[in-house]
Amino acid sequence: IKASPNIDSFSFAMESLAVSANTDRQERLQEEEEQRKGNYDDKAKSDDTAVDSYDEERRSRLEAAEMILNMMEERDVAIDNHVFHQYIRVLMNSDELEMATVAALDALNTKSIDVENKTIMLLVNYIGSAEGNDRFDVARDLVSRMTENFDFLYTRLDTWEDEANHRAKYKAINQANQIAASAVAKKEASV
């Protein structure tokens, strides 16, 4: 007779998904960096194939994480802080920062799960490093809900927000310059 999964089994399953998601994310980021540097191996997967493969793995991993949570609910096994932390890792490493943020805020607001400081800190770090990010107020709210005082995170968030604003301003200036250059080129071509 096989035993039913317990919290340790579910915890291990969610953690293995989180580790797999992190590994895939790191490999994808490395490939993107190699492409950016022009060192990308032409024999490697084409961009479309790589994106399709990543999307398929991502979807499959997210479905597996949801299946684990559903199985826990069906068996009346409460989600503990470790399973929740690993679930947040799966979401973040699967480019589901918004979903991870909503899950954390929901757990904090309903007090349904004891959200650990390490989970909040991990989420805040992802928010701070995300491109095109406008969630800094949400990150500050998360930091304010931590059970210990981590004021240095406010300083980091201020720095990240300043950097994000600088990048956005620089990007806007570059786009304006490109539009102006294109207009000049069109005008010169018509002369």
Side-chain angles (χ1 to χ4, degrees), residues 61-181:
R61 191 175 296 110
L62 292 170
E63 287 172 6
E66 291 300 321
M67 184 179 70
I68 291 168
L69 295 178
N70 289 336
M71 287 174 65
M72 291 179 73
E73 185 177 340
E74 289 168 5
R75 289 171 171 77
D76 290 326
V77 176
I79 298 171
D80 69 359
N81 52 11
H82 184 73
V83 170
F84 186 73
H85 178 78
Q86 298 306 325
Y87 177 64
I88 294 297
R89 284 184 60 207
V90 169
L91 293 175
M92 290 186 299
N93 283 310
S94 298
D95 298 326
E96 291 293 344
L97 182 58
E98 185 66 30
M99 191 183 299
T101 303
V102 168
L105 288 171
D106 183 53
L108 287 163
N109 290 336
T110 62
K111 299 182 184 337
S112 58
I113 299 169
D114 181 26
V115 181
E116 294 179 305
N117 287 340
K118 70 178 182 180
T119 304
I120 294 172
M121 194 174 294
L122 181 66
L123 187 53
V124 166
N125 279 302
Y126 268 79
I127 289 172
S129 64
E131 284 295 317
N133 189 350
D134 61 352
R135 296 182 187 94
F136 292 103
D137 289 339
V138 172
R140 285 182 185 88
D141 179 42
L142 288 167
V143 172
S144 74
R145 295 171 184 234
M146 294 176 81
T147 59
E148 297 175 60
N149 185 354
F150 287 98
D151 283 345
F152 74 92
L153 287 173
Y154 292 113
T155 304
R156 287 184 72 185
L157 284 166
D158 289 343
T159 301
W160 286 330
E161 187 171 25
D162 288 346
E163 290 170 356
N165 289 337
H166 177 73
R167 282 190 305 269
K169 182 179 176 181
Y170 182 75
K171 185 177 180 179
I173 290 169
N174 279 344
Q175 287 174 341
N177 288 340
Q178 288 173 352
I179 291 169

